[in-house]
Amino acid sequence: MARVDRLVNHRRKLRRGEHLYRAGNPLAVLYAIRSGFMKTCALHDDGREQVAGFHMMGDLLGLDAISSGRHMCDAVALEDSEVCEIPFAYLEQLSRELPSLQHQLHRIMSREIVRDYGVMLLLGTMKAEERLAAFLLNLSQRFAARGYSATEFNLRMTREEIGSYLGLKLETISRAFSRFQQDNLIEVRHKHVRIRDPERLRLLIGQQCP
Amino acid sequence: MARVDRLVNHRRKLRRGEHLYRAGNPLAVLYAIRSGFMKTCALHDDGREQVAGFHMMGDLLGLDAISSGRHMCDAVALEDSEVCEIPFAYLEQLSRELPSLQHQLHRIMSREIVRDYGVMLLLGTMKAEERLAAFLLNLSQRFAARGYSATEFNLRMTREEIGSYLGLKLETISRAFSRFQQDNLIEVRHKHVRIRDPERLRLLIGQQCP
DNA sequence: TGAATGCTTTGATGTAGGTCAAAAGGGGTG
DNA sequence: CACCCCTTTTGACCTACATCAAAGCATTCA
């Protein structure tokens, strides 16, 4: 137990806008988010980039770096945040001795793979409003799982970042928000969102494509 | 060594069109492809599905099932194939004793995560012809890594399956193929592809979006 | 071998979302 | 408190891709 404690010993604070790591940085530690809100950005050679995920308390970051020993994306704090640094070599060593820790690590990596499949489905098959609905419900569910309100929260990211994640332009996000508000599905005012009708929002996914 | 051998002891043959596993099946074994060609399909509750990846000799399948203990996608043989079954519990056990095996497993899972980021970029930011070019170059590179020709190969999947993977309709794929052929980038005749100008194909990615 | 079936190509037309533009709202900073 | 800059909203227009349709080819299975 003391050794597991040592695993999560080291803290690091980040100011809003600060990078936790950048593509190309060598892998030394994984990061568990203790508080705050972050995004990861996948980058293409030609300079294009896309938000690959939004991350909050409890999420583990840096798994992309294990394959090559270097990070393959950027991680940026969207608000002041605190992470705890987990030396990867030590994590591997300890997980050899603790089967439950080992299994937990595998489950976390697998969960990330499954999440990615979900994003592919979203990007490959859904229409704009479906994507935004899925995004909002996903956020809602994750806030709820952490003890926050499922129906009322502040967005930490801009419309442009939401758009990047969903493969859409910021104007499209803005229009979709307005439409959801018109239809009494949600209330949006700038970064603040209240979900008024989660059920209809859920229904909206899947009904749009004939 | 003998114990590692035992890990990859069990073979299974699949006929073209046969399912290796389906979403919902409990996780028992992972699968290493020995020969043949497969696709995995992510599914959404509402029945929509999308090809999440194409897999060939040497690829490891089933990692999506570790998180929940059940498979989260379908795996289907696109031609007669042979896989070898790797009992997951035994793999975990053995990797506790063999650090290099453990690390290898982690790298493979991480590589899948990185691959998924690439697909997100493709689906989120690229135009139709860029996607197809990226797809062809990726296939080419993987065939080359396995000792096959990088410039000439047979597609095992239909236009519809390529389209599903790339978030496009089969007609769009067909038109893009025709256009590439006109421009002397490739020769296509049904399933047979010859890449005539890999360099220009590579250049094409990134030039399309202003 | 030949009929059946599934795949592919190509054309004509429609539309969701992108692009461009302008104005308004907020929040951080000096 | 006031300024500046970043973000957001909304409108008008445009384009890439989807959709619909029909014909042409392969592959398969009897």
Side-chain angles (χ1 to χ4, degrees):
Chain A
M1 270 304 119
R3 301 172 66 201
V4 174
D5 276 355
R6 229 179 77 206
L7 194 62
V8 293
N9 210 357
H10 222 332
R11 303 281 175 83
R12 180 166 155 198
K13 279 179 191 288
L14 290 150
R15 305 295 301 275
R16 181 181 145 173
E18 206 178 331
H19 279 252
L20 178 59
Y21 53 79
R22 287 169 196 275
N25 290 165
L27 167 68
V29 298
L30 300 180
Y31 303 91
I33 302 184
R34 292 186 55 84
S35 67
F37 205 89
M38 311 204 56
K39 68 171 176 181
T40 44
C41 297
L43 336 143
H44 197 264
D45 321 314
D46 57 23
R48 259 178 293 193
E49 72 173 69
Q50 182 179 12
V51 174
F54 296 107
H55 311 277
M56 55 180 87
M57 209 196 80
D59 290 345
L60 189 65
L61 260 56
L63 298 172
D64 56 287
I66 298 168
S67 80
S68 67
R70 299 197 167 270
H71 285 284
M72 300 305 284
C73 65
D74 289 358
V76 185
L78 294 180
E79 63 181 19
D80 293 359
S81 303
E82 190 175 18
V83 299
C84 114
E85 302 186 331
I86 302 170
F88 182 63
Y90 187 49
L91 176 62
E92 281 197 325
Q93 186 195 317
L94 212 57
S95 78
R96 265 178 259 135
E97 301 171 33
L98 300 172
S100 71
L101 179 64
Q102 178 199 34
H103 195 62
Q104 185 62 12
L105 176 61
H106 293 162
R107 287 182 45 159
I108 289 172
M109 297 189 79
S110 174
R111 196 189 310 150
E112 173 69 12
I113 292 169
V114 173
R115 184 188 78 82
D116 295 345
Y117 287 173
V119 177
M120 286 185 208
L121 266 170
L122 187 136
L123 293 171
T125 69
M126 291 191 187
K127 298 216 179 285
E129 294 191 359
E130 293 184 277
R131 295 186 200 187
L132 187 60
F135 170 74
L136 288 172
L137 289 169
N138 176 264
L139 266 192
S140 157
Q141 177 243 306
R142 289 162 72 198
F143 280 128
R146 283 159 180 79
Y148 302 107
S149 168
T151 56
E152 206 160 353
F153 46 82
N154 281 304
L155 299 170
R156 272 74 172 190
M157 70 295 279
T158 65
R159 305 287 191 262
E160 185 166 21
E161 286 164 333
I162 298 174
S164 171
Y165 179 63
L166 299 178
L168 300 165
K169 294 291 151 179
L170 66 100
E171 295 94 330
T172 307
I173 302 298
S174 179
R175 282 184 237 271
F177 268 133
S178 301
R179 185 151 229 288
F180 283 177
Q181 176 142 282
Q182 270 179 25
D183 297 353
N184 280 319
L185 291 165
I186 63 172
E187 282 168 33
V188 227
R189 180 159 174 73
H190 312 296
K191 305 268 179 189
H192 185 265
V193 173
R194 194 162 78 80
I195 297 182
R196 299 190 61 179
D197 198 336
E199 209 33 68
R200 260 172 66 219
L201 213 48
R202 219 177 313 276
L203 242 57
L204 190 148
I205 303 170
Q207 291 198 333
Q208 302 234 338
C209 75
Chain B
M1 269 305 118
R3 300 174 66 201
V4 174
D5 276 355
R6 229 179 75 206
L7 195 62
V8 292
N9 210 359
H10 221 332
R11 303 282 175 81
R12 179 164 156 201
K13 279 179 191 289
L14 291 149
R15 305 295 300 274
R16 183 183 146 175
E18 205 178 333
H19 279 252
L20 179 58
Y21 54 79
R22 288 170 196 273
N25 290 166
L27 167 67
V29 299
L30 300 180
Y31 304 91
I33 301 183
R34 292 187 53 85
S35 67
F37 205 89
M38 311 204 57
K39 68 170 177 182
T40 45
C41 297
L43 336 143
H44 197 265
D45 320 314
D46 57 22
R48 261 179 291 194
E49 73 173 69
Q50 181 179 13
V51 174
F54 296 107
H55 311 277
M56 55 181 88
M57 208 197 81
D59 289 346
L60 190 64
L61 260 55
L63 298 172
D64 57 286
I66 298 168
S67 79
S68 67
R70 297 195 169 273
H71 285 284
M72 300 305 285
C73 65
D74 288 359
V76 185
L78 294 180
E79 62 181 19
D80 293 359
S81 304
E82 190 176 16
V83 299
C84 112
E85 302 186 333
I86 303 171
F88 182 62
Y90 188 49
L91 176 61
E92 281 197 325
Q93 186 196 318
L94 213 55
S95 78
R96 265 178 257 134
E97 300 171 34
L98 301 171
S100 71
L101 179 64
Q102 179 198 34
H103 195 63
Q104 186 62 14
L105 176 60
H106 293 162
R107 287 182 44 158
I108 289 172
M109 297 189 79
S110 174
R111 196 190 308 149
E112 174 69 13
I113 292 170
V114 173
R115 183 187 78 82
D116 295 345
Y117 287 173
V119 177
M120 287 184 208
L121 265 170
L122 188 136
L123 293 172
T125 71
M126 292 190 185
K127 298 218 177 288
E129 293 191 1
E130 293 184 277
R131 296 186 199 186
L132 187 61
F135 169 75
L136 288 172
L137 288 170
N138 175 264
L139 265 191
S140 156
Q141 176 243 306
R142 289 162 72 198
F143 280 128
R146 283 159 180 78
Y148 301 108
S149 168
T151 55
E152 206 160 354
F153 45 83
N154 281 304
L155 300 171
R156 273 75 170 189
M157 69 296 281
T158 66
R159 303 289 191 262
E160 185 165 22
E161 286 163 333
I162 299 174
S164 170
Y165 178 63
L166 299 178
L168 301 165
K169 294 291 152 181
L170 67 99
E171 294 94 330
T172 306
I173 301 298
S174 178
R175 282 185 237 272
F177 267 133
S178 301
R179 184 153 231 287
F180 284 176
Q181 176 142 282
Q182 270 179 25
D183 296 354
N184 279 319
L185 291 165
I186 64 172
E187 282 169 32
V188 228
R189 182 161 172 72
H190 312 295
K191 304 268 181 191
H192 186 266
V193 173
R194 195 163 78 80
I195 297 183
R196 300 190 60 178
D197 198 336
E199 209 33 68
R200 259 172 67 221
L201 213 49
R202 221 177 312 275
L203 244 55
L204 190 149
I205 303 170
Q207 291 197 333
Q208 302 235 339
C209 75

